Amino acid sequence: MYYKEAFSKYVDNALISQKDVKKLYALQNEDVLKIVNQFVDLCKPSKVTVISDSKEDIEYVKQKSVSNQEESTLQTEGHTIHYDSYYDQARDKENTKVLIPKGAYRSPWINTMDRDEGLEEILDIMDGCMKGKECLVRFFCLGPLHSKFTIGALQLTDSFYVAHSEDLLYRKGYEEFRELNGSNDFFYFIHSAGELVGNPPVTKNIDKRRIFVDLQEGRVLTVNNQYAGNSLGLKKLALRLAIHKANNEDWLTEHYFILGVRPKGKNRVTYFTGAFPSACGKTSTAMLPGQLIVGDDIAYLRSWKDGFAHAVNIEKGIFGIIKDVNAKNDPVIYEALTSPRELIYSNVLVKDGKPYWIGMGVDHPKDGFNHYGDWIDGMTDKNGNKVTHAHPNARYTINLMDLSNCDPKLEDPDGVPIHGIFYGGRDSDTMPPVVESINWEHGIFLGAIIESETTTATLGAVGVRKASPMANLDFLVVPLGKYLKNHQKFGHQLKHCPQVFSTNYFLKGKDGNYLNGILDKKVWVIWAEGRTKGDYEAINSPIGYLPKYEDLKNLFKLELNQDYSHEDYIEQFTLRISFLLNKLNRMEEMYKAEKEIPKFFWDVLFKQRNDLIDMQKKFGKEEIIPSELSQI
Ligand code: SPV
Ligand code: MN
């Protein structure tokens, strides 16, 4: 084979064992050999280890992530803690760039860079970045085994934490790579944490952190980082490559959870997907008590023979925000986090082998070890900012199957049929708690206009609205117009198009208080499920269908054992016309900046605006209550 010489030289130099070379050759894939050869030569590790699907190989990764101190064991069996650099605690948007060939269109919403310049820069940074370290060669699957949905992923990394996380989060893929029969139809990811410093070892050269997405080659090169959103190939890096692939084919890659809804008293499970920007209730919707979870972050959707869109979770684990997970609000996750199993905590406080995080519902010690190092309550960092006992973006990494509400359909190669889609925003004054789309195009519009108000959990001013179409703006690698058109085309392939719902769990009343309780979302979700089955009638309004009071009242009683007053209903579902018009104006401004936004988007926007203005004139007021809507 073409690369034989290179690999026998590696063996002669004791860089790789003969056994591991055999594992590579057994794949009979020239492209795999070419990539390994290219990046071993560039990154210059002192050892290369090929990990197959065998128990021993996977155990080796787990053991070594502890023995090399990237993780430390905690008191509870199977639990470990990993720390990222204090300056590497979230996705680095500024240094995540999509490489675009010269002359190609650059969307205003995408952080792009000239491809040649980008490659030159990152290949230079990566030159020798694995010196003195061991490079792991891994094979994974994005999606269930033996499935039409699934894409293979080759990962090279010098971080055992990254490789260990991927074992928890993704399906093994060495055997699937064999079945590729030499095809180059897979994504690949080259990661290096770069030079490390301290104990635990963290990335030193954060100023040289780069995450470059090379669509042309179906690869992402990422260096000088450890935080999973930056480092793990298969998470947000593969999401970007898959969005590109799906948008040039005939399917969807989305930032969706997948949820099986089980209404009380009805012996059925109806599957929904949903996209919510950060801090808009995504996990709490995916983990609603009494329902089934298939996935919490990323889904692939294809049109299926039964006429429905089917979805798979490309992951098999959760990399979840741990802040505010407590026994009262999240009993299922809390139980999983506090009992023996394989689990990685990141960036929480540890004292005497026990983890503590923000909003845990348990008093935390006044000192210990955390993402800053040795920590004492009240201490400040170099910039004078208070160091909290755990980072607000601290996480846990866990197998989904370890949750008692996990749906075994997770591993179904055919995925699950999708009957509805939720798009959830966060605004205090505009959208009602739940609205159903009138048709598929209107549903896409509901996804395209999601906005979320910043909270105290993020840096910067509070209450600033940020738009994030389909909660996917951070990951878009194709122009917004193309993305929306692909959604439209996708729906037209289906005999049974999903019904689309927008939710807003954060509406406030005139007194500034939230109008809904934390668990009310269960009623909106169950109502939406009933709508997909024709169980309820709805009120037609210029912004979409709204629920009827009687149906919600019954559902509040049945699902939450609560009374739901007519006054509450009116306050929550009154259309606030000037706020809705302002939202449409903001959307017009935003979408005007992008070329080739499909006509249907503008048709929906202008019709909605005209209908709202007509209504304003007809009633001579700004607020229209649901009973007035039935008269239109
Ligand atoms: C998100 O931020 O949407 C996440 C976590 O799911 S990250 O891996 O950082 O993307
Ligand atoms: Mn996410």
Side-chain angles (χ1 to χ4, degrees):
M1 245 191 258
Y2 180 64
Y3 295 97
K4 220 167 186 131
E5 212 178 303
F7 281 90
S8 27
K9 218 165 87 195
Y10 293 160
V11 175
D12 292 346
N13 294 339
L15 189 61
I16 186 169
S17 71
Q18 188 67 54
K19 196 172 137 217
D20 280 7
V21 171
K22 272 200 186 135
K23 284 186 207 164
L24 282 182
Y25 272 72
L27 297 173
Q28 306 214 357
N29 194 308
E30 284 275 325
D31 285 279
V32 170
L33 296 178
K34 183 174 149 197
I35 293 161
V36 174
N37 175 221
Q38 181 189 348
F39 285 94
V40 165
D41 282 356
L42 179 75
C43 302
K44 305 180 179 60
S46 57
K47 186 177 176 193
V48 178
T49 304
V50 180
I51 306 292
S52 70
D53 296 347
S54 76
K55 258 199 186 137
E56 304 86 280
D57 282 7
I58 289 167
E59 192 55 28
Y60 171 74
V61 172
K62 198 167 103 182
Q63 297 299 339
K64 190 111 195 233
S65 53
V66 173
S67 66
N68 80 0
Q69 292 165 334
E70 283 187 80
E71 292 173 35
S72 312
T73 52
L74 296 172
Q75 213 177 67
T76 306
E77 197 192 324
H79 293 197
T80 55
I81 169 82
H82 163 82
Y83 292 103
D84 300 306
S85 155
Y86 185 69
Y87 304 98
D88 186 34
Q89 294 284 325
R91 276 187 278 114
D92 179 358
K93 293 191 204 179
E94 207 183 308
N95 289 303
T96 302
K97 295 194 177 171
V98 181
L99 305 182
I100 303 282
K102 272 193 186 52
Y105 173 69
R106 296 195 190 191
S107 166
W109 311 110
I110 305 174
N111 192 6
T112 59
M113 184 172 185
D114 176 84
R115 183 169 184 269
D116 295 337
E117 285 169 27
L119 285 178
E120 197 181 319
E121 179 179 339
I122 197 158
L123 293 177
D124 184 47
I125 295 177
M126 289 187 118
D127 192 348
C129 63
M130 294 187 186
K131 268 188 191 154
K133 295 205 277 182
E134 183 170 345
C135 174
L136 295 172
V137 181
R138 307 288 324 256
F139 303 90
F140 293 104
C141 275
L142 292 153
L145 301 186
H146 311 299
S147 164
K148 183 177 189 303
F149 289 89
T150 295
I151 300 174
L154 164 64
Q155 167 88 69
L156 268 64
T157 179
D158 59 11
S159 164
F160 281 78
Y161 158 70
V162 164
H164 182 206
S165 300
E166 288 182 333
D167 279 320
L168 283 164
L169 294 172
Y170 305 100
R171 285 111 173 164
K172 301 181 186 77
Y174 179 81
E175 290 304 323
E176 294 259 328
F177 261 76
R178 265 178 191 274
E179 287 163 28
L180 274 180
N181 289 325
S183 150
N184 66 354
D185 195 9
F186 59 85
F187 295 148
Y188 72 94
F189 306 95
I190 313 295
H191 167 255
S192 170
E195 199 178 329
L196 300 173
V197 61
N199 184 9
V202 296
T203 295
K204 183 178 168 200
N205 302 313
I206 298 288
D207 57 321
K208 291 211 172 80
R209 179 170 53 200
R210 300 288 183 276
I211 302 129
F212 285 1
V213 182
D214 184 9
L215 303 173
Q216 201 167 306
E217 285 285 320
R219 67 178 174 184
V220 182
L221 311 179
T222 174
V223 62
N224 290 315
N225 60 67
Q226 291 163 299
Y227 172 71
N230 296 321
S231 62
L232 261 62
L234 281 83
K235 205 165 187 57
K236 292 311 191 310
L237 314 186
L239 170 62
R240 295 179 174 96
L241 296 179
I243 286 176
H244 181 252
K245 192 169 165 65
N247 276 270
N248 285 303
E249 297 175 359
D250 58 356
W251 52 288
L252 298 182
T253 296
E254 296 301 317
H255 194 195
Y256 282 158
F257 65 63
I258 308 172
L259 167 73
V261 183
R262 294 194 295 190
K264 261 197 187 149
K266 294 179 179 154
N267 193 16
R268 66 190 185 212
V269 183
T270 311
Y271 290 98
F272 278 71
T273 56
F276 294 60
S278 305
C280 290
K282 187 178 182 186
T283 309
S284 55
T285 307
M287 295 289 301
L288 266 180
Q291 321 304 311
L292 295 171
I293 185 166
V294 181
D296 86 318
D297 202 27
I298 303 167
Y300 292 168
L301 282 83
R302 283 182 178 271
S303 126
W304 215 246
K305 353 184 210 308
D306 58 6
F308 283 91
H310 277 226
V312 297
N313 180 3
I314 63 121
E315 308 185 286
K316 67 157 184 81
I318 298 189
F319 175 62
I321 294 188
I322 201 162
K323 180 172 173 276
D324 294 332
V325 172
N326 54 57
K328 186 169 158 270
N329 294 332
D330 305 279
V332 176
I333 301 180
Y334 193 81
E335 161 63 23
L337 294 185
T338 48
S339 47
R341 73 194 65 250
E342 188 176 355
L343 184 170
I344 311 170
Y345 286 99
S346 55
N347 307 314
V348 298
L349 176 71
V350 170
K351 171 102 193 227
D352 300 329
K354 283 195 195 146
Y356 299 89
W357 57 90
I358 301 171
M360 183 182 180
V362 168
D363 286 339
H364 65 81
K366 299 291 173 220
D367 61 7
F369 197 91
N370 73 0
H371 55 292
Y372 195 66
D374 286 316
W375 175 85
I376 301 171
D377 202 9
M379 75 190 293
T380 52
D381 64 17
K382 279 184 226 141
N383 299 322
N385 297 318
K386 186 170 181 254
V387 183
T388 48
H389 68 282
H391 194 276
N393 194 31
R395 302 257 169 175
Y396 59 89
T397 304
I398 190 171
N399 269 304
L400 253 168
M401 284 290 195
D402 281 356
L403 300 180
S404 54
N405 58 346
C406 177
D407 190 332
K409 288 253 176 210
L410 170 64
E411 296 304 343
D412 191 330
D414 291 346
V416 292
I418 300 304
H419 291 245
I421 301 174
F422 291 108
Y423 289 115
R426 172 189 270 266
D427 78 64
S428 53
D429 52 23
T430 307
M431 290 293 279
V434 63
V435 178
E436 180 190 337
S437 68
I438 288 154
N439 55 32
W440 179 240
E441 275 75 10
H442 181 235
I444 301 171
F445 182 81
L446 286 180
I449 63 167
I450 301 180
E451 289 177 293
S452 116
E453 283 170 10
T454 50
T455 65
T456 45
T458 50
L459 295 177
V462 174
V464 178
R465 284 175 228 259
K466 292 211 164 123
S468 181
M470 282 73 173
N472 226 349
L473 199 58
D474 282 354
F475 312 108
L476 270 195
V477 291
V478 296
L480 207 38
K482 184 179 170 103
Y483 177 72
L484 296 182
K485 262 186 229 156
N486 188 49
H487 266 269
Q488 185 188 27
K489 227 171 58 196
F490 182 74
H492 290 176
Q493 295 173 52
L494 304 169
K495 201 158 122 218
H496 308 288
C497 223
Q499 273 160 253
V500 182
F501 300 83
S502 81
T503 62
N504 175 22
Y505 305 150
F506 306 94
L507 190 65
K508 290 182 177 172
K510 296 208 165 66
D511 57 3
N513 291 326
Y514 287 118
L515 291 178
N516 291 105
I518 283 182
L519 271 183
D520 292 4
K521 57 174 80 76
K522 189 168 181 181
V523 171
W524 319 141
V525 166
I526 304 281
W527 177 78
E529 192 276 344
R531 282 291 294 167
T532 68
K533 299 286 175 190
D535 286 358
Y536 310 114
E537 289 182 346
I539 302 167
N540 197 359
S541 91
I543 61 166
Y545 294 119
L546 303 178
K548 289 186 150 178
Y549 170 64
E550 282 301 318
D551 295 325
L552 294 184
K553 181 175 173 237
N554 292 339
L555 284 175
F556 266 92
K557 197 76 213 165
L558 181 72
E559 293 284 348
L560 301 176
N561 196 23
Q562 271 176 30
D563 293 323
Y564 181 58
S565 76
H566 196 238
E567 292 71 42
D568 282 352
Y569 169 73
I570 290 178
E571 201 172 5
Q572 292 163 18
F573 288 91
T574 287
L575 293 192
R576 306 173 179 196
I577 297 188
S578 55
F579 287 97
L580 289 164
L581 288 172
N582 287 341
K583 181 177 174 76
L584 293 180
N585 293 344
R586 288 194 298 277
M587 291 302 129
E588 186 179 6
E589 274 311 301
M590 170 172 175
Y591 279 86
K592 256 184 6 201
E594 178 77 87
K595 75 168 194 183
E596 291 179 9
I597 293 298
K599 181 173 171 295
F600 79 82
F601 176 90
W602 296 117
D603 289 347
V604 175
L605 191 147
F606 295 137
K607 177 165 185 337
Q608 222 170 80
R609 178 183 284 159
N610 288 340
D611 288 352
L612 286 166
I613 292 171
D614 283 352
M615 207 163 68
Q616 205 175 28
K617 282 191 195 137
K618 179 175 167 191
F619 290 95
K621 56 180 184 169
E622 289 299 322
E623 296 193 345
I624 311 297
I625 62 171
S627 60
E628 290 169 322
L629 286 168
S630 353
Q631 300 163 29
I632 59 173

